[in-house]
Amino acid sequence: MMKKSLSILALSLLSAHALAAGSHAGGHDTPADPARVGRTIDVIMDDTMRFTPSEIHVRAGETIRFSVTNAGKIRHEMVIGSIAELKAHAVQMRKMPEMPHAEPNMITLEPGGAGALVWKFDQAGIVDFACLIPGHTEAGMIGKVKVN
C-alpha cells in the first residue's frame, strides 16, 4: 500500500511539474520578476464561480501583477495556462483535490484570502486561466487574457 501511495504521489508531482514546464515552454507566458511589473490588475474570485474580470487585455511584452482576492466562503484558485494544460491539471485535481500547489502560474486562496501572481505575456494570443478545484471550472470559473 505504501509503495502504491508513493507511486501515485510521484506521478502527481510529475504531472504538476509537466504542467508548469509546459506553460513556460509555449512562449506565450512566463513567470516574471516582480520588480519589472508594469501594472497591477485586480482579480476577484467568488462563490458564483466567476472571476471578475473574466476577460483581461494586456500588451505583448507586458509584465502584470494579478492582485487576487477570494471574496467567497470556500477555497478558490487562479491557474494560468493553455486550455489543454488546464484540462490536464483539472483531471489530476479531481483525483487529488487537496493536492498542494507551489508553481508560479497558480495561487490558491482560502476564503477572504488575498495574494498575487506576477506574469509576463511574451507574445500576442490568448492565455487562459481557471479555478481547478473540482467542479469550479465546470461551473464556469474560467477567464482569458487577450494579449495584443
Side-chain angles (χ1 to χ4, degrees):
M1 182 68 174
M2 175 85 117
K3 187 175 181 179
K4 183 177 179 181
S5 296
L6 288 174
S7 295
I8 291 170
L9 177 61
L11 285 173
S12 69
L13 292 174
L14 284 172
S15 296
H17 180 67
L19 170 66
S23 56
H24 304 188
H28 269 298
D29 52 323
T30 56
D33 179 356
R36 298 187 179 266
V37 168
R39 66 182 165 125
T40 298
I41 297 173
D42 295 327
V43 177
I44 307 294
M45 305 181 293
D46 64 37
D47 297 343
T48 64
M49 302 302 162
R50 297 292 182 264
F51 289 98
T52 304
S54 61
E55 184 173 297
I56 298 168
H57 295 267
V58 303
R59 292 179 307 281
E62 194 170 12
T63 299
I64 301 293
R65 173 181 286 111
F66 294 101
S67 177
V68 186
T69 302
N70 181 354
K73 294 182 180 177
I74 59 176
R75 187 174 47 149
H76 292 292
E77 63 185 14
M78 180 178 178
V79 183
I80 299 171
S82 71
I83 286 291
E85 293 162 344
L86 295 173
K87 285 181 179 180
H89 191 85
V91 168
Q92 292 300 317
M93 288 293 295
R94 281 193 293 278
K95 292 176 184 173
M96 299 188 332
E98 298 301 319
M99 179 172 46
H101 293 110
E103 300 298 331
N105 66 321
M106 56 184 67
I107 186 168
T108 303
L109 296 171
E110 296 299 324
L117 286 175
V118 177
W119 211 250
K120 181 177 181 190
F121 296 90
D122 293 324
Q123 59 185 347
I126 303 286
V127 179
D128 300 284
F129 59 94
C131 179
L132 301 181
I133 293 173
H136 294 206
T137 301
E138 297 82 355
M141 200 163 182
I142 57 174
K144 293 190 177 303
V145 178
K146 293 186 176 183
V147 186
N148 298 318

